[in-house]
């Protein structure tokens, strides 16, 4: 969470929480909808149920954001930092093992 | 760490006196002998005397040993063979009172006599493998090569002291991760900066030793781990011969197998099934 939270960061947090809460139900419906051996009507109804889930339950809504600035683009997943913050911290020596490359 | 304890356990049965040599000759580097001196004075003499170069007589005694557990005989051979008559200036022995309640272990003292002082600086002695059965595999990983080399060196020396045969220190390939990021917070993609993270790795493989000895070695290394060096240990444990059969027997004993099927019972069951099914069929016909 950045020092002054972004609305986008807050939405992302809400999405993550929603995904965690609804994962089991979503997976169950998804299994039924994708299963070739089940009758077509059952699969269709399962798919309709899936469509009723809101956007804060879908895992595709989740986006890695910079933990310091909240930037959505240019985020390096291993550190959870956007590219500029990664550079700032790396030069300060706060990232273990990272050094300026030269070869 | 008390290498002498484990060493004593491993070399149980061997005559430790042979490691030192006959008492008549001045063999031990620390001048430790069962002379008329009191144990306290002996200990102080050993502590305060400077390490003298090992004479030829001493190396000859130690070379005659076939049992190599804990004896760095190879290191002895590496030392320059000097004549026993070379004049070595001896420092004045100053008596220092030992700590109260210190008990001197004669086995430990004998082992100390075989130790080459300053062997930490030399290449570690590698005990010969008795069977070549791998027992443990230790991997060190660090961001820089200096500490990792020291860690591997330290582990090798510890294994030599415990009598564990090891492979040499293997340098695994260095893994390098590169990130190229723009220098500025916004735009200016043409000016970027490279950052990297290098992970150096070393590996040591241990053979043949008892599980308890390897446990001690691993705990010692964990207790004296270097900062910035990570260690991963893979252990192989020996199981007794016939373990598969005994496992199978214990499992089969728990399962309800092996009772022969009763043909009569199967026939009776078959007849019953036929009766029930025909009755059900008649009822369904009657209702339909």
């Amino acid at each position: 969470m950045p020092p002054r939270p972004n609305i986008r960061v807050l939405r992302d947090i809400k999405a993550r929480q929603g995904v965690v809460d609804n994962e089991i139900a979503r997976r169950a419906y998804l299994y039924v909808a994708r299963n070739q051996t089940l009758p077509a009507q059952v699969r269709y109804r399962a798919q309709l149920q899936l469509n009723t889930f809101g956007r804060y339950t879908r895992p595709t809504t989740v986006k890695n954001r910079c933990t310091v600035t909240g930037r959505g683009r240019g985020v390096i997943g291993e550190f959870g930092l956007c590219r500029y913050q990664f550079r700032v911290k790396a030069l300060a020596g706060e990232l273990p093992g990272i050094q300026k490359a030269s070869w | 760490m008390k290498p002498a304890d484990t060493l004593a356990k491993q070399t149980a049965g061997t005559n430790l006196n042979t490691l030192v040599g006959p008492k008549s000759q001045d063999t031990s580097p620390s001048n430790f002998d069962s002379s008329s001196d009191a144990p306290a004075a002996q200990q102080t003499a050993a502590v305060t005397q400077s390490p003298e170069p090992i004479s030829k007589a001493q190396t000859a005694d130690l070379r005659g040993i076939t049992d190599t557990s804990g004896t760095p005989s190879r290191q002895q051979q590496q030392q320059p063979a000097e004549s026993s008559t070379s004049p070595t200036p001896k420092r004045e022995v100053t008596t220092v009172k030992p700590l109260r309640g210190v008990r001197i272990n004669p086995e430990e003292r004998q082992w100390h006599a075989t130790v080459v002082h300053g062997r930490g600086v030399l290449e570690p002695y590698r005990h010969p493998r008795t069977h070549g059965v791998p027992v443990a595999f230790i991997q060190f990983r660090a961001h820089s090569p200096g500490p990792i080399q020291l860690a591997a060196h330290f582990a090798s020396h510890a294994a030599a002291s415990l009598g564990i045969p090891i492979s040499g220190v293997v340098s695994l390939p260095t893994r390098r991760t590169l990130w190229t990021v723009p220098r500025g917070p916004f735009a200016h993609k043409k000016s970027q900066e490279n950052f990297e993270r290098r992970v150096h790795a070393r590996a040591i493989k241990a053979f043949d030793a008892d599980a308890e000895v390897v446990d001690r070695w691993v705990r010692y290394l964990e207790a004296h781990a270097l900062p910035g060096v990570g260690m991963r240990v893979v252990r192989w444990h020996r199981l007794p011969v016939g373990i598969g059969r005994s496992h199978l027997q214990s499992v089969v004993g728990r399962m309800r197998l092996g009772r022969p099927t009763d043909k009569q019972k199967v026939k009776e069951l078959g007849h019953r099934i036929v009766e029930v099914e025909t009755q059900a069929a008649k009822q369904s016909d009657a209702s339909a």
Side-chain angles (χ1 to χ4, degrees):
Chain A
M1 186 83 116
R4 282 183 301 168
N6 223 338
I7 182 64
R8 295 193 183 92
V9 170
L10 294 170
R11 277 190 224 140
D12 186 58
I13 290 167
K14 193 172 175 185
R16 282 168 192 267
Q17 195 62 50
V19 164
V20 163
D21 295 336
N22 293 282
E23 188 186 359
I24 294 167
R26 275 196 68 87
R27 277 187 182 269
Y29 281 121
L30 201 71
Y31 171 74
V32 171
R34 300 276 190 268
N35 195 343
Q36 305 272 3
T37 60
L38 293 174
Q41 205 180 19
V42 170
R43 288 176 67 187
Y44 182 66
R45 276 168 44 205
Q47 187 60 50
L48 290 175
Q49 282 291 315
L50 261 181
N51 296 343
T52 62
F53 282 83
R55 75 176 124 139
Y56 293 120
T57 60
R58 281 180 244 125
T60 47
T61 332
V62 166
K63 177 101 177 68
N64 274 350
R65 288 196 165 262
C66 178
T67 53
V68 174
T69 55
R71 195 165 192 265
R73 288 191 169 89
V75 176
I76 301 171
E78 200 175 328
F79 304 96
L81 295 171
C82 69
R83 58 196 192 190
Y84 181 65
Q85 283 301 315
F86 168 77
R87 178 173 172 265
V88 165
K89 287 199 185 261
L91 291 171
E94 289 170 28
L95 303 176
I98 307 285
Q99 56 189 2
K100 271 182 70 68
S102 150
W103 70 94
Chain B
M1 170 185 146
K2 289 183 182 169
D5 295 345
T6 324
L7 197 69
K9 183 181 174 182
Q10 258 202 311
T11 57
T14 61
N15 184 11
L16 282 172
N17 286 326
T18 57
L19 296 171
V20 180
K23 292 172 187 176
S24 56
Q25 295 182 29
D26 183 23
T27 55
S28 56
S30 58
N31 270 344
F32 179 78
D33 264 347
S34 64
S35 54
S36 56
D37 293 346
Q42 275 180 339
Q43 189 193 357
T44 57
V47 165
T48 52
Q49 259 189 345
S50 60
E52 299 163 15
I54 297 158
S55 66
K56 205 174 185 180
Q58 295 169 18
T59 53
D61 288 322
L62 290 166
R63 253 183 246 142
I65 305 159
T66 50
D67 172 32
T68 49
S69 315
T71 50
S73 53
R74 198 189 291 171
Q75 283 180 349
Q76 296 282 7
Q77 289 167 16
Q78 280 173 2
Q79 299 286 343
E82 293 185 347
S83 61
S84 52
T85 54
S86 61
T88 44
K90 292 190 182 181
R91 284 190 200 156
E92 289 177 5
V93 175
T94 54
T95 51
V96 175
K97 280 192 178 176
L99 293 168
R100 264 194 197 175
V102 171
R103 287 184 201 170
I104 292 164
N105 188 356
E107 273 185 4
E108 197 174 335
R109 290 288 153 195
Q110 279 178 324
W111 185 81
H112 283 168
T114 64
V115 164
V116 176
H117 291 289
R119 72 191 189 283
V121 178
L122 304 166
E123 283 298 308
Y125 173 68
R126 273 198 257 156
H127 291 277
R129 303 171 198 179
T130 57
H131 299 89
V133 174
V135 164
F137 180 71
I138 297 188
Q139 238 194 58
F140 296 99
R141 288 198 193 171
H143 288 305
S144 48
I148 207 175
Q149 201 66 38
L150 183 65
H153 180 85
F154 177 71
S156 308
H157 270 289
S161 294
L162 287 167
I164 301 170
I166 47 163
S167 69
V169 174
V170 172
S171 303
L172 301 172
T174 305
R175 295 194 185 189
R176 180 167 154 246
T177 321
L178 193 76
W179 290 277
T180 310
V181 291
R183 285 173 188 264
F186 178 73
H188 308 293
K189 186 69 185 298
K190 289 183 189 177
S191 80
Q192 290 182 322
E193 201 171 4
N194 290 315
F195 292 99
E196 71 181 358
R197 178 181 56 205
R198 293 188 182 212
V199 179
H200 303 266
R202 300 280 185 275
I204 297 176
K205 208 166 183 180
F207 302 89
D208 297 331
D210 278 348
E212 209 180 313
V213 176
V214 177
D215 271 337
R216 202 174 265 233
W217 182 47
V218 168
R219 273 190 278 126
Y220 178 67
L221 294 179
E222 283 170 355
H224 300 281
L226 278 167
V229 179
M231 191 171 83
R232 183 213 285 170
V233 180
V234 176
R235 296 280 302 275
W236 285 277
H237 294 278
R238 288 197 202 134
L239 298 171
V241 174
I243 188 75
R245 193 182 303 127
S246 60
H247 256 303
L248 187 64
Q249 278 171 358
S250 69
V251 164
V252 164
R254 277 183 251 145
M255 289 167 71
R256 277 182 254 134
L257 286 176
R259 287 187 204 169
T261 46
D262 199 353
K263 280 184 182 176
Q264 203 59 39
K265 280 192 180 177
V266 169
K267 276 186 180 174
E268 283 170 17
L269 188 65
H271 288 311
R272 266 199 66 200
I273 288 167
V274 166
E275 282 173 14
V276 167
E277 289 297 315
T278 44
Q279 274 189 0
K282 278 180 189 173
Q283 280 177 358
S284 64
D285 284 344
S287 64

